[in-house]
Amino acid sequence: MIFVQLLKLINFLRIRPRLMDIHVMLRHLDGRLQSQEEYRIIEDNIRWVQGLFQYIIVAFLGSVAVANIIVLKESNLQMPFQVWIPWDWHQSFSLYLLTLCLLNIGLVTMAFMGVGNDTYPVAYLKIVAAHWKALAIRIARVGNTKGTTRELSYSQLIECVESHQIILQLRHILEDSLSFACFIQCLCTATAICTQAVFAAQINLDFFRIVYVLIMLVNMLTEMYIVCYASELVQYEAEQMTKAIYNCNWVCMPVEHRRIVLIMLMRSQRSAGIMAIGYLPVSMTTLLSVVKGAYSVYTLLNQMNSMS
């Protein structure tokens, strides 16, 4: 777990300059918002991301709390996680408590690191999906407002095309930046689910340990689920662009304007979902495949253990 979080952090530091470029592009898109409905879409998604951050940090800290309850209620001195400590903390209870406090400081630090590693991909994907939705509303109004001249409709159309190009560029940057992180998450989730399942099946667990295992499983699945959900949301909002483009008043546009609409329509029909390392789609189907793969490995390990 520590190795995976450190690997994610190293990947984040590697792509940080590109993420700063994304911030500039998002501010530019924010300046193109026109109606209260478009502002509300962006604000709702920002609040959703903030709520997700709070939920994940509570889930991580809850796991640490339950692990500490398990070891403190037992008579023999134990650590909540198996780690190497360069001194003998069994010598006295005070030394044990000091070691436990130091370990918890490290665990809380890892929890905050994990929250950052797991929420920033979802945050960027959700905001890009929100801007796609806002653009769909804006382009559907092109030519449909009373009193709009042909010149004004053309300028609105060009502004929508430019915004669409920026969003497509954002999506491309996000895929390049998050590809490796999504692949690590898929691999880590499958391994962790299988490990926790084998641990629960082979060892007699009391109530608190069962709760701990369940919390860990939910946390692992949530980490993968939110990324897959955000990627599918980007795909869905991109697909809605096709309907929005058709709803604009293209019938009354001159031929040269219709050509622009047609090109934009063709570009909106391309797949917009995120691909991990170039070939693994980040979607709910992939999440289901990860869970199935983990269960298959768990079944195989159980059969091998029963035969030995």
Side-chain angles (χ1 to χ4, degrees):
M1 179 179 177
I2 297 176
F3 173 75
V4 172
Q5 292 298 341
L6 288 175
L7 197 59
K8 289 181 181 180
L9 179 62
I10 292 172
N11 181 67
F12 170 77
L13 295 176
R14 179 183 64 86
I15 65 175
R16 188 175 182 276
R18 306 198 70 182
L19 296 181
M20 293 298 101
D21 295 338
I22 292 176
H23 278 263
V24 175
M25 299 170 72
L26 287 175
R27 291 193 197 98
H28 184 66
L29 288 174
D30 290 340
R32 290 172 174 260
L33 300 175
Q34 298 177 2
S35 65
Q36 290 297 322
E37 184 179 7
E38 296 172 36
Y39 281 106
R40 180 184 56 79
I41 290 171
I42 303 299
E43 291 171 356
D44 288 347
N45 278 270
I46 291 175
R47 283 193 292 268
W48 187 93
V49 171
Q50 291 172 342
L52 174 68
F53 179 88
Q54 295 171 358
Y55 165 79
I56 292 182
I57 197 168
V58 169
F60 272 91
L61 295 179
S63 302
V64 175
V66 172
N68 279 275
I69 291 174
I70 292 173
V71 299
L72 289 175
K73 77 180 186 66
E74 296 179 352
S75 58
N76 55 333
L77 303 182
Q78 293 185 15
M79 288 295 162
F81 297 96
Q82 296 298 323
V83 293
W84 177 79
I85 298 174
W87 61 81
D88 186 8
W89 45 270
H90 295 90
Q91 292 181 358
S92 64
F93 186 72
S94 58
L95 184 59
Y96 166 73
L97 289 179
L98 176 61
T99 306
L100 186 62
C101 290
L102 292 175
L103 179 60
N104 276 286
I105 291 174
L107 291 175
V108 171
T109 303
M110 288 298 301
F112 278 98
M113 185 188 301
V115 170
N117 289 334
D118 294 333
T119 54
Y120 83 87
V122 182
Y124 284 114
L125 291 173
K126 279 286 290 183
I127 299 304
V128 169
H131 274 291
W132 229 314
K133 186 175 183 178
L135 177 59
I137 295 172
R138 194 155 65 245
I139 194 172
R141 292 198 303 261
V142 174
N144 289 319
T145 306
K146 291 183 179 181
T148 303
T149 62
R150 179 176 295 183
E151 290 76 14
L152 181 58
S153 295
Y154 178 71
S155 64
Q156 291 174 347
L157 178 62
I158 294 301
E159 189 272 339
C160 289
V161 170
E162 292 174 349
S163 297
H164 191 217
Q165 290 175 339
I166 294 173
I167 293 174
L168 289 174
Q169 186 180 358
L170 269 174
R171 181 259 167 201
H172 179 70
I173 294 175
L174 281 175
E175 183 176 61
D176 288 346
S177 303
L178 305 180
S179 175
F180 184 65
C182 292
F183 174 73
I184 294 175
Q185 189 62 62
C186 291
L187 186 62
C188 175
T189 301
T191 305
I193 291 175
C194 182
T195 303
Q196 289 293 326
V198 171
F199 172 77
Q202 300 297 327
I203 300 175
N204 293 327
L205 303 177
D206 56 16
F207 173 76
F208 284 103
R209 290 189 183 274
I210 292 174
V211 172
Y212 170 72
V213 171
L214 290 177
I215 290 176
M216 291 298 294
L217 287 174
V218 171
N219 289 351
M220 295 163 194
L221 288 174
T222 301
E223 289 176 355
M224 185 69 185
Y225 169 78
I226 56 178
V227 176
C228 293
Y229 163 76
S231 178
E232 284 217 347
L233 187 62
V234 170
Q235 176 67 30
Y236 172 78
E237 296 299 345
E239 291 173 353
Q240 296 307 301
M241 278 291 298
T242 302
K243 183 178 179 180
I245 294 171
Y246 185 79
N247 287 337
C248 73
N249 193 13
W250 57 271
V251 177
C252 299
M253 294 181 182
V255 176
E256 57 271 18
H257 295 182
R258 294 184 193 177
R259 290 172 181 166
I260 298 175
V261 173
L262 182 60
I263 294 173
M264 192 175 182
L265 181 64
M266 293 173 63
R267 296 193 68 179
S268 67
Q269 293 176 344
R270 298 177 182 175
S271 176
I274 301 299
M275 303 289 289
I277 60 174
Y279 72 90
L280 180 65
V282 182
S283 63
M284 302 304 293
T285 304
T286 304
L287 174 61
L288 183 60
S289 299
V290 167
V291 174
K292 286 182 177 179
Y295 178 75
S296 299
V297 175
Y298 162 72
T299 304
L300 177 62
L301 291 175
N302 268 346
Q303 290 177 351
M304 293 175 61
N305 183 68
S306 62
M307 292 173 60
S308 60

